[in-house]
Amino acid sequence: MESNGKEDLKAALLQHPNGVAAYTKSTGDGANIRTLVFNIHGMTCSSCSTSIESALTKLEGIKSVMVSPLQAQAVVKYDPQLITVKKIQEAVEETGFEADGFPEQEIAICRLRIKGMACTSCSESVERALLMVDGVRKAVVGLALEEAKVHYDPSITNTAIIVEAVEDSGFGADLISSGSDVNKLHLKLEGVKSRDDFSVIRCSVEGLEGINHVEMDLEEHNVIITYEPDIIGPRSIIRCIQEAGKGSSSYQASLFTPPRPQDMERRHEIHIYRNQFLWSCLFSIPIFISSMVLPMIPPYGKWLDYKVLNMLDFGMLLRWILCTPVQFIIGRRFYSGSYHALRRKSANMDVLVALGTNAAYFYSIYIMMKALTSELFEGQDFFETSAMLISFISLGKYLEVLAKGKTSDALAKLTDLAPETAHLLTLDDEGNAISETEISTQLIQKDDILKIVPGAKVPVDGIIVDGQSFVNESMITGEATPVAKGPGDKVIGGTVNENGCVVIRATHVGSETALSQIVQLVEAAQLARAPVQKLADQISRFFVPTVVMAAFITFLGWFVFGEAGTYPKSWIPKAMDAFELALQFGISVLVVACPCALGLATPTAVMVATGKGASQGVLIKGGDALEKAHKVQTVIFDKTGTLTLGKPSVVSAVLFSKISMEEFCDSTIAAEANSEHPIGKAVVDYAKKFLNTAEKEHQTEVKDFEVHTGAGVSGKVRDKTILVGNRRLMREFKVSLGPEVETYISENEKLARSCVIVAVDGTVAGAFAVTDPVKPEAARVISFLNSMNISSVMVTGDNWATATAIGKEVGIQTVFAETDPSGKADKIKELQLKGTTVAMVGDGINDSPALVAADVGMAIGAGTDVAIEAADIVLMKSNLEDVITAIDLSRKTMQRIRLNYVWALGYNVLGMPVAAGILFPFTGIRLPPWLAGACMAASSVSVVCSSLLLQSYKKPLHVQSAL
């Protein structure tokens, strides 16, 4: 991260995606009372506000209304179960006033852990079930992540109904988090002896400002509190609980860390599949030995031929006894999965496995019954087929779950970056430290003063107030070189303080830290479905029915031709007939063609790629952005702050009138004081240094201040009209530039300097020459993009001469200058109309329209929150080499996804004909059902392992900074 001033710390690095204008306050009686803040236009006096208040108070569900005509705002507290935001808006507009700032919809978001999904058809079934719930607006189900993200209207439905809908569709569901879980405090209570004590604590905590919800576990003596970190912190809540005890009652509260549900669920799943495999092996191995090994060793297998009754021998009876628990106890999940799939009018892997194993098992029962009742019948059972099939599938699922756990390793490492403890300083009135306490990181509140010793991790985002050091930010940004930090600079939670001792003030805690928001963003990206996944979705819809049909045709073909004598009897193995041979071929086709691998091909690759990108400082906001990036043909760069360092400095200042330099600088400072543009700030800094004026001392007032986008600013200072900007601004206000001014401008523009012209009352008073050094890696990045057959374009609001000079320096031939924000977006649309896939790289507020218009928007991480929010990919390091990293990672991921599809479909394309017996007439090679099951299990494992190879991804270009 670049060094930033205090103003930059007012907003989080990444805005929380779920922020709206309404927030919830849970009252003591359990009702959810919401507070809505919105703007009202057209109010002129207090009677206007009174009429709005009276109109709203009449509505059912409105608890309180406050309307401020001065701020042109209204604050309404309401019960969402009785009234909606839309009705409140309509009521305001019916009074004759305009209202805006409403959330478009009252949307809450929850995440669910989904159990029992086997393939793409399962995830589609869960999505359909969720979308059928009244009030659910959007649902995304991730097969590889085994999670669902649901957007719903809390006034219509709730998480309990959503979970119930998933369970009704035949899958398990656990609530991971809801929208109100953003800042949760888990506490263990001591000294609580009765329900009255719990009531006292609940009332005390709910009475605090900033508390959203209090949930108590009376048996475990735990309490979960959801709070607003801007208003209250965890230490204040704990203090309130301790102060609630009076007399003999003494309450204590300590932090309680619940186990992560994802880890628990993963361990539980691994444990289940491992046990299923081991138990099935316990039964299957003896079955395999008795049916395939011992008969080939005559002296040892004779006892198996002992006749129990009629033609029923001991070997067949033993195999039946051993196979039955495997079929109905260990394999019961296939029956359950098939039942729910068929009830949903769909089919999945469970249906194929259930059909195959049941066909083998019940045909063997028929053979056994026939042998039991006949004195002459000789037949072969297939109990080993059923048992070994289930064993191999259990082994495949066990290996698959182990491998899938590795796909989110990068995200787990990010989550564990924050340290467990921090050193809290207590300061006296003069700012001197009077005490130091070691506290848990979870107890840090905003504005806490923390000491970071050398070698320690930074606990939360903050600003350095004292000390100098170098901070290693590689774990967040991927940049190995430590960054120098001093007073006023930002530090990011999870980074390592290398050498000096620094004191920081906490600015972002909990879910607002950059680390937390990166984790949230990557989690959302891993859940999002890439467009390429549609291929697997389309195939899965008809895949299983097609396989069942192919298996039936295979069975029918071999059976009919065998009974008709079309192929020689010598083809049929001993102790088999045509029916049994045909049945084995049919079962093999059923089980070899599994849709699991197909469903895992895309999401596992996306999970690994987004996690790997995050660990290298490239945040990709989903599969859609990842897929589009590999198609990029043209990259459009903004100039200031993107190709250049974004830290302009004034190299010369010239007067063109009789005005004094002091007055010239004073007027410029006043006019540019409210400007956010980097060049404007550079001019102000230069003028202040010339006047030797402190920021707080200079309070010259500017009136009628106006920003002219892409041109400059204007305003009135001491009744004089001041213009500060470029040529375009002067043309707009018809200010003539004399030969002397034109010469000065052209000379500096040839040197890639921007000229800021200052005009007073329509006459040019002077000008500043501003230079913004090009980033050291820019030229190599442009050259590398050319080698990737990607063209580069520069679009800037700066003048043509400066833009052309910068373009020439970095190697960009196509340059568009003097372009406003909407013009940048228009240039992108022009290229898109020619069929070109365009990526836009920018950092400022003025780049956000272009970032949205581009096929892929890339925001420089040190840029503004607006730009970061508008982008598809965030480059955390502000280093241009990551433009190449993002595109190259996208290309490698798409190559891996295609390879995964080759693996998944290859097993089916090659395996199904072999299983159907296409090689049998020529070579005698056939695929027994148990071996077909092993191939099916191997296909899923190979696809997941193929995706895991992306973890070895290395950047194609690494430019050592010259700074």
Side-chain angles (χ1 to χ4, degrees):
M1 288 297 159
E2 303 284 345
S3 299
N4 291 283
K6 296 181 182 180
E7 292 300 315
D8 294 331
L9 292 164
K10 290 181 180 177
L13 175 68
L14 301 173
Q15 293 295 327
H16 193 276
N18 307 331
V20 293
Y23 60 90
T24 306
K25 166 80 178 176
S26 182
T27 58
D29 58 1
N32 284 325
I33 303 302
R34 298 194 169 201
T35 302
L36 180 68
V37 182
F38 55 92
N39 303 318
I40 301 176
H41 304 288
M43 290 191 296
T44 54
C45 59
S46 58
S47 62
C48 299
S49 60
T50 308
S51 62
I52 295 169
E53 284 179 4
S54 59
L56 290 176
T57 348
K58 291 175 185 175
L59 300 174
E60 186 184 4
I62 299 293
K63 301 299 179 183
S64 68
V65 181
M66 287 185 292
V67 180
S68 168
L70 292 175
Q71 295 177 326
Q73 274 192 339
V75 181
V76 179
K77 292 190 177 182
Y78 68 101
D79 186 342
Q81 295 179 342
L82 300 175
I83 191 168
T84 63
V85 172
K86 192 176 180 183
K87 286 185 180 176
I88 296 172
Q89 184 177 7
E90 287 171 355
V92 173
E93 289 173 351
E94 280 175 9
T95 60
F97 298 95
E98 238 181 90
D100 61 31
F102 289 91
E104 290 183 11
Q105 276 185 320
E106 295 176 85
I107 296 298
I109 296 176
C110 69
R111 285 172 58 222
L112 306 174
R113 170 77 59 195
I114 309 295
K115 304 173 191 172
M117 291 193 298
C119 57
T120 311
S121 63
C122 297
S123 60
E124 283 194 325
S125 298
V126 176
E127 271 190 20
R128 283 197 299 270
L130 288 168
L131 291 169
M132 287 173 68
V133 176
D134 196 21
V136 170
R137 307 297 182 206
K138 182 183 175 185
V140 181
V141 179
L143 176 63
L145 208 58
E146 294 177 340
E147 286 185 14
K149 189 175 183 180
V150 185
H151 299 241
Y152 65 97
D153 187 338
S155 62
I156 299 174
T157 188
N158 56 46
T159 53
I161 295 171
I162 292 169
V163 169
E164 189 181 344
V166 176
E167 290 172 346
D168 285 345
S169 67
F171 299 92
D174 291 326
L175 184 67
I176 298 174
S177 66
S178 60
S180 59
D181 294 344
V182 177
N183 288 285
K184 263 190 175 182
L185 181 65
H186 296 260
L187 297 175
K188 190 84 170 176
L189 300 177
E190 295 176 13
V192 181
K193 299 169 184 174
S194 65
R195 286 183 174 272
D196 290 340
D197 291 332
F198 279 107
S199 299
V200 168
I201 292 171
R202 180 188 283 276
C203 291
S204 300
V205 173
E206 286 180 341
L208 295 172
E209 188 181 0
I211 299 297
N212 288 341
H213 184 64
V214 178
E215 182 182 335
M216 289 191 160
D217 186 338
L218 305 184
E219 292 181 4
E220 297 293 330
H221 286 203
N222 295 339
V223 59
I224 303 170
I225 301 166
T226 311
Y227 64 96
E228 297 286 342
D230 286 331
I231 301 171
I232 196 168
R235 294 202 308 279
S236 303
I237 297 170
I238 291 173
R239 195 183 308 118
C240 170
I241 292 172
Q242 291 171 346
E243 290 173 355
K246 293 178 182 177
S248 59
S249 300
S250 176
Y251 306 140
Q252 294 294 323
S254 57
L255 283 173
F256 165 67
T257 306
R260 285 195 288 195
Q262 293 94 328
D263 295 343
M264 286 177 63
E265 190 63 40
R266 185 72 66 193
R267 284 196 296 268
H268 179 64
E269 200 174 16
I270 290 170
H271 181 73
I272 286 174
Y273 283 121
R274 185 193 63 193
N275 287 353
Q276 282 183 352
F277 171 64
L278 292 175
W279 277 107
S280 64
C281 283
L282 185 66
F283 293 100
S284 300
I285 290 171
I287 295 172
F288 178 75
I289 292 170
S290 70
S291 64
M292 302 218 174
V293 179
L294 290 179
M296 298 173 70
I297 311 172
Y300 302 102
K302 289 288 185 185
W303 60 275
L304 293 170
D305 295 330
Y306 174 77
K307 299 295 186 287
V308 178
L309 186 63
N310 290 333
M311 295 303 291
L312 177 64
D313 58 47
F314 184 75
M316 190 183 295
L317 183 64
L318 178 67
R319 288 190 290 274
W320 170 67
I321 292 169
L322 291 171
C323 178
T324 302
V326 178
Q327 180 70 35
F328 296 108
I329 298 175
I330 297 170
R332 69 181 180 273
R333 68 184 185 87
F334 299 115
Y335 288 100
S336 174
S338 301
Y339 165 73
H340 289 298
L342 294 171
R343 202 184 73 171
R344 297 189 303 266
K345 297 179 182 178
S346 66
N348 60 7
M349 180 203 76
D350 293 330
V351 173
L352 295 179
V353 175
L355 279 172
T357 55
N358 277 308
Y361 180 84
F362 285 106
Y363 176 72
S364 302
I365 292 289
Y366 163 75
I367 294 295
M368 194 173 74
M369 290 296 106
K370 203 167 180 183
L372 183 65
T373 56
S374 172
E375 295 180 359
L376 301 172
F377 174 78
E378 287 187 9
Q380 183 182 0
D381 63 90
F382 294 133
F383 286 123
E384 83 284 348
T385 296
S386 168
M388 292 183 67
L389 195 54
I390 289 172
S391 295
F392 274 114
I393 292 168
S394 298
L395 173 62
K397 290 301 289 183
Y398 172 58
L399 294 174
E400 182 187 316
V401 170
L402 280 176
K404 277 164 67 178
K406 301 283 184 186
T407 57
S408 54
D409 275 358
L411 188 59
K413 287 175 185 174
L414 277 173
T415 308
D416 295 335
L417 282 178
E420 293 182 0
T421 59
H423 294 276
L424 176 69
L425 298 181
T426 305
L427 306 181
D428 58 18
D429 295 337
E430 295 177 0
N432 300 315
I434 54 175
S435 68
E436 181 180 323
T437 313
E438 189 173 4
I439 63 167
S440 168
T441 308
Q442 297 177 51
L443 295 177
I444 296 175
Q445 300 180 178
K446 273 194 176 180
D447 295 324
D448 277 349
I449 303 299
L450 306 167
K451 184 173 86 171
I452 318 295
V453 297
K457 286 184 178 180
V458 178
V460 291
D461 294 1
I463 182 171
I464 295 177
V465 293
D466 188 29
Q468 301 273 348
S469 183
F470 282 86
V471 177
N472 186 340
E473 297 180 340
S474 60
M475 58 285 298
I476 301 291
T477 66
E479 180 57 68
T481 308
V483 182
K485 299 285 184 179
D489 290 339
K490 280 182 181 179
V491 285
I492 307 170
T495 56
V496 178
N497 180 28
E498 291 280 335
N499 45 22
C501 183
V502 293
V503 177
I504 70 165
R505 188 180 77 251
T507 56
H508 299 101
V509 297
S511 63
E512 293 182 350
T513 62
L515 181 59
S516 295
Q517 294 190 28
I518 288 168
V519 170
Q520 289 171 34
L521 192 149
V522 176
E523 281 179 341
Q526 291 182 342
L527 195 59
R529 186 173 293 172
V532 72
Q533 177 73 15
K534 290 177 183 176
L535 174 63
D537 296 343
Q538 288 167 356
I539 293 173
S540 68
R541 285 179 191 143
F542 58 83
F543 188 84
V544 174
T546 304
V547 170
V548 173
M549 185 65 68
F552 180 72
I553 291 169
T554 301
F555 163 77
L556 205 60
W558 280 101
F559 176 62
V560 171
F561 288 128
E563 288 295 314
T566 308
Y567 58 82
K569 293 289 183 185
S570 60
W571 286 10
I572 303 173
K574 289 179 181 179
M576 268 197 198
D577 58 21
F579 178 85
E580 291 167 349
L581 181 65
L583 183 65
Q584 282 221 351
F585 280 126
I587 293 171
S588 295
V589 171
L590 271 179
V591 297
V592 80
C594 170
C596 293
L598 202 62
L600 292 169
T602 300
T604 52
V606 170
M607 279 181 71
V608 177
T610 49
K612 187 65 180 176
S615 67
Q616 304 223 3
V618 178
L619 296 183
I620 303 166
K621 293 186 180 180
D624 193 15
L626 191 66
E627 184 175 340
K628 282 181 181 176
H630 92 282
K631 300 176 184 176
V632 168
Q633 298 163 294
T634 300
V635 178
I636 295 182
F637 292 92
D638 174 46
K639 181 179 78 70
T640 308
T642 303
L643 286 172
T644 63
L645 291 173
K647 292 184 176 178
S649 58
V650 176
V651 291
S652 70
V654 178
L655 295 176
F656 296 111
S657 66
K658 294 180 181 179
I659 190 173
S660 68
M661 182 58 83
E662 287 76 9
E663 189 181 347
F664 173 67
C665 289
D666 189 59
S667 300
T668 304
I669 293 169
E672 284 280 11
N674 298 319
S675 174
E676 292 296 319
H677 197 282
I679 291 178
K681 288 181 178 179
V683 168
V684 171
D685 289 342
Y686 177 85
K688 283 180 178 177
K689 281 179 184 176
F690 180 83
L691 295 176
N692 197 19
T693 305
E695 187 179 345
K696 290 183 180 177
E697 292 173 0
H698 196 280
Q699 296 290 339
T700 306
E701 188 180 355
V702 59
K703 297 177 182 177
D704 302 330
F705 176 79
E706 188 178 352
V707 176
H708 303 271
T709 309
V713 298
S714 65
K716 284 199 170 184
V717 179
R718 302 191 192 93
D719 297 327
K720 292 182 179 179
T721 302
I722 308 293
L723 304 175
V724 183
N726 56 20
R727 269 200 187 99
R728 187 143 59 93
L729 183 69
M730 300 303 137
R731 282 199 297 267
E732 283 180 21
F733 284 84
K734 297 178 181 177
V735 176
S736 62
L737 305 177
E740 190 182 2
V741 178
E742 290 285 4
T743 304
Y744 177 79
I745 293 172
S746 60
E747 284 175 355
N748 280 285
E749 286 176 348
K750 286 174 186 175
L751 298 171
R753 295 172 181 172
S754 300
C755 285
V756 178
I757 307 161
V758 180
V760 179
D761 287 337
T763 304
V764 175
F768 297 92
V770 183
T771 184
D772 186 5
V774 171
K775 287 183 177 177
E777 74 273 14
R780 269 197 70 185
V781 168
I782 302 302
S783 174
F784 201 94
L785 284 172
N786 290 336
S787 70
M788 295 171 72
N789 295 320
I790 297 173
S791 58
S792 301
V793 176
M794 183 172 75
V795 181
T796 177
D798 212 337
N799 62 78
W800 277 99
T802 305
T804 306
I806 295 286
K808 189 176 179 181
E809 186 177 345
V810 299
I812 295 178
Q813 296 178 349
T814 309
V815 175
F816 298 101
E818 298 182 9
T819 310
D820 59 17
S822 60
K824 292 181 183 179
D826 291 338
K827 294 294 179 188
I828 289 170
K829 287 169 186 172
E830 284 176 22
L831 289 169
Q832 288 171 332
L833 287 172
K834 295 175 184 176
T836 305
T837 304
V838 181
M840 170 70 194
V841 186
D843 72 320
I845 291 173
N846 61 338
D847 296 325
S848 53
L851 291 169
V852 172
D855 296 290
V856 180
M858 299 186 189
I860 297 292
T864 65
D865 294 314
V866 177
I868 290 170
E869 192 67 26
D872 301 301
I873 297 174
V874 180
L875 311 179
M876 292 287 292
K877 286 190 305 184
S878 302
N879 196 322
L880 287 177
E881 71 186 46
D882 284 338
V883 173
I884 292 168
T885 303
I887 295 171
D888 185 65
L889 179 59
S890 170
R891 289 182 175 183
K892 293 285 194 302
T893 306
M894 293 309 298
Q895 288 172 8
R896 185 59 55 181
I897 289 171
R898 291 189 192 104
L899 183 62
N900 287 352
Y901 276 129
V902 170
W903 276 108
L905 291 171
Y907 272 98
N908 294 319
V909 170
L910 298 176
M912 281 181 69
V914 174
I918 196 170
L919 299 177
F920 187 64
F922 313 106
T923 62
I925 294 173
R926 64 188 178 92
L927 201 63
W930 62 270
L931 191 55
C935 289
M936 183 202 74
S939 67
S940 296
V941 176
S942 62
V943 163
V944 178
C945 291
S946 171
S947 294
L948 282 171
L949 291 175
L950 281 169
Q951 287 190 336
S952 61
Y953 173 82
K954 287 184 173 58
K955 294 182 177 184
L957 178 67
H958 186 78
V959 181
Q960 288 293 334
S961 176
L963 294 182

